[in-house]
């Protein structure tokens, strides 16, 4: 059987394929609870990561012609990204588990040979207490690296730290 | 459980590069220091976005982006997208980007003192067909210096991005060219531990893909992570 193709870094020039409209997942006319997700990416020296591609994917609401459920945004000179999307609903987990609303995040950048993947959860969401992925993280401070804080009505913010103090919990499966 | 939502098989050891690769300087402050959290595969991991050619129009000829011929050696790249179960991945989107023939990207961040080409941008997009085959035309990208270490040069390469049928199949990689002496010196290429896995990143010259009086042809296949169970295996 063939083995999956090796990843290589996205490099600093991936913007050749960038379409800034991809950061708005409602651009095809999606109906629902529109929210804004913002964040920043910093490295182990506390420097902003200004050349990353941030991708989001959500299994809820389901993909449709009006909602791609996928978005991509560059980080700017301040290491910041911003998406407009629909608020996800809880989805099924393994067995009888219910997963709290979440958004999968992939980080591609120069200096990353393989994407880093993580999840964004929403502050004040009661299901966070029983979410099967959050429950895998024993240290509450580590768990908090995945919880976006509410900054305004329908707006959440998550800071992603690639390395060092308060490093984001990255995932594999 | 259908094949389209079955969980993915484990990643084959040494087939993927580690982010902690000291010979590649940009990794030093960017690789996580802690091990990744192993999570179960749920609907978020086993499903993924779908891209239609109607909403994401193909751009299959990078060599004529504005009606005029780009400078350089015209080439055709053709290959197949399959999964680790050796099944074709049909109608899947492939994003493509690369430097021009002189080894410079049409990007404000690239200040390499090589000529820009007004007739080359370097971005493209194609979809595999019903049997997983894809093809595009471009010019062979040049090598370029990149300051990772003294006298560091990237081998000629084309960047690719594929999505497959689930979040677990996402891959971004680079295709190299056969016989390139820079491969033996390149920390990005050498970051893949397994030699055979590395060498699968090198396209093969293919006289069958070569178009007479027009362009040299290269063959390059993609393999996406396989799902654990297929209906056939369950039967």
């Amino acid at each position: 059987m063939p083995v999956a193709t090796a990843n290589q870094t996205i490099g600093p020039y991936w913007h050749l394929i960038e379409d800034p409209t991809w950061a708005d997942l409602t651009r095809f006319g999606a109906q629902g609870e529109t929210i804004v997700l913002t964040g920043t990416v910093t490295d182990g020296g506390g420097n902003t990561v200004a050349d990353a591609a941030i991708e989001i994917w959500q299994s809820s609401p389901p993909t449709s012609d009006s909602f791609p459920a996928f978005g991509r945004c560059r980080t700017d000179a301040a290491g910041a990204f911003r998406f407009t999307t629909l608020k996800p609903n809880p989805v099924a987990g393994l067995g009888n588990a219910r997963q709290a609303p979440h958004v999968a995040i992939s980080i591609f950048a120069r200096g990353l040979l393989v994407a880093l993947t993580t999840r964004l959860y929403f502050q004040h969401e009661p299901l966070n207490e029983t979410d099967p992925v959050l429950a895998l993280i024993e240290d509450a401070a580590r768990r908090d690296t995945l919880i976006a804080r509410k900054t305004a009505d329908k707006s959440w913010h998550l800071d992603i730290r690639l390395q060092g103090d308060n490093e984001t919990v990255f995932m594999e499966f | 459980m259908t094949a389209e939502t079955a969980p993915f098989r484990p990643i084959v050891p040494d087939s993927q590069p580690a982010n902690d690769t000291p010979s590649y300087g940009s990794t030093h402050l960017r690789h996580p220091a802690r091990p990744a959290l192993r999570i179960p595969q749920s609907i978020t991991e086993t499903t993924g976005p779908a891209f239609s050619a109607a909403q994401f129009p193909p751009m299959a000829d990078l060599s004529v982006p504005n009606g005029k011929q780009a400078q350089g050696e015209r080439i055709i790249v053709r290959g197949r997208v399959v999964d680790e179960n050796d099944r074709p991945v049909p109608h899947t989107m492939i994003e493509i980007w690369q430097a021009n023939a002189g080894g410079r990207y049409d990007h404000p961040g690239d200040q390499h003192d090589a000529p820009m080409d007004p007739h080359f941008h370097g971005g493209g997009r194609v979809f595999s067909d019903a049997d997983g085959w894809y093809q595009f035309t471009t010019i062979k990208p040049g090598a370029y210096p990149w300051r990772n270490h003294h006298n560091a040069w990237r081998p000629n390469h084309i960047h690719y991005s594929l999505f497959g049928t689930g979040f677990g199949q996402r891959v971004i990689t680079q295709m190299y060219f056969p016989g390139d002496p820079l491969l033996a010196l390149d920390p990005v290429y050498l970051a893949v531990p397994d030699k055979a896995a590395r060498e699968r990143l090198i396209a093969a010259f293919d006289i069958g893909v070569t178009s007479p009086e027009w362009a040299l042809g290269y063959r390059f296949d993609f393999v996406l992570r396989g799902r654990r169970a297929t209906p056939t295996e369950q039967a």
Side-chain angles (χ1 to χ4, degrees), chain A residues 4-9 15-16 44 55 57 59 65 72 99 102 110-111 113 119 163 167 170 172-173, chain B residues 16 19 24 26 28-31 33-34 37 39 42 44-45 84 95 107 170 172-173 176 223 225:
Chain A
T5 303
N7 281 261
Q8 297 274 267
T9 182
H15 307 89
L16 292 184
E55 292 184 353
W57 154 248
S59 49
D65 284 346
R72 179 191 289 155
Q99 301 191 77
H102 63 273
R110 170 180 63 85
L113 287 150
R119 284 181 168 195
Q163 186 191 84
E167 180 177 304
F170 296 104
E172 63 180 15
F173 57 87
Chain B
Q16 296 292 335
N19 276 322
Y24 175 18
S26 293
H28 295 177
L29 290 172
R30 291 186 168 190
H31 74 83
R34 293 166 179 266
L37 175 72
I39 64 169
S42 73
T44 304
E45 288 70 39
E84 286 179 312
E95 298 176 288
H107 186 288
R170 184 88 176 92
I172 287 186
T173 191
Y176 301 99
V223 181
R225 196 171 164 189

Side-chain angles (χ1 to χ4, degrees), chain A residues 75-100:
Chain A
T75 53
D76 65 16
F81 61 87
R82 183 183 194 276
F83 291 97
T84 302
T85 187
L86 298 183
K87 179 92 188 288
N89 297 307
V91 296
L94 296 188
N96 294 320
R98 254 175 116 214
Q99 301 191 77

Side-chain angles (χ1 to χ4, degrees), chain B residues 116-132:
Chain B
M116 297 296 292
D117 182 347
H119 306 310
F120 188 76
H121 173 57
R125 180 192 295 148
V126 294
F127 288 80
S128 63
D129 68 14
D131 293 316

Side-chain angles (χ1 to χ4, degrees), chain B residues 42-96:
Chain B
S42 73
I43 184 174
T44 304
E45 288 70 39
T46 60
T47 63
F51 299 89
S52 71
Q55 286 181 323
F56 301 90
M59 297 170 279
D61 190 347
L62 286 68
S63 74
V64 196
N66 55 12
K68 296 192 174 155
Q69 298 276 350
Q71 293 288 332
E73 180 185 344
R74 188 186 301 115
I75 61 171
I76 296 164
V77 181
R78 178 171 171 77
R80 205 167 184 217
V81 187
V82 299
D83 66 17
E84 286 179 312
N85 298 315
D86 215 10
R87 296 187 315 171
V89 182
H91 310 301
T92 198
M93 187 168 79
I94 304 171
E95 298 176 288
I96 304 158

Side-chain angles (χ1 to χ4, degrees), chain A:
Chain A
M1 288 297 194
V3 174
T5 303
N7 281 261
Q8 297 274 267
T9 182
I10 197 171
Y13 306 127
W14 67 270
H15 307 89
L16 292 184
I17 56 162
E18 184 187 26
D19 181 342
T21 70
W22 286 25
D24 182 355
L25 285 72
T26 65
R27 67 190 182 281
F28 297 125
Q31 300 293 311
E33 183 183 350
T34 300
I35 61 171
V36 172
L37 302 178
T38 59
T40 62
V41 183
T42 50
D43 71 13
N47 314 295
T48 57
V49 173
D51 53 10
I54 308 300
E55 292 184 353
I56 62 171
W57 154 248
Q58 37 193 107
S59 49
S60 166
T63 310
S64 69
D65 284 346
S66 65
F67 184 62
F70 168 86
R72 179 191 289 155
C73 183
R74 67 160 73 192
T75 53
D76 65 16
F81 61 87
R82 183 183 194 276
F83 291 97
T84 302
T85 187
L86 298 183
K87 179 92 188 288
N89 297 307
V91 296
L94 296 188
N96 294 320
R98 254 175 116 214
Q99 301 191 77
H102 63 273
V103 173
I105 298 181
S106 299
I107 300 139
F108 299 89
R110 170 180 63 85
L112 293 176
L113 287 150
V114 185
L116 297 176
T117 58
T118 185
R119 284 181 168 195
L120 177 153
Y121 286 85
F122 297 85
Q123 188 182 24
H124 305 315
E125 187 69 44
L127 280 171
N128 288 347
E129 303 305 317
T130 54
D131 179 83
V133 170
L134 290 176
L136 296 171
I137 310 166
E138 290 176 13
D139 181 345
R142 297 275 294 145
R143 206 178 307 136
D144 281 349
T145 66
L146 306 181
I147 313 289
R149 70 173 193 278
K150 194 165 185 179
T151 54
D153 188 34
K154 303 192 186 306
S155 296
W156 280 267
H157 182 91
L158 183 71
D159 290 320
I160 296 170
R161 298 172 193 85
L162 301 184
Q163 186 191 84
D165 293 342
N166 220 3
E167 180 177 304
T168 295
V169 173
F170 296 104
M171 301 171 187
E172 63 180 15
F173 57 87

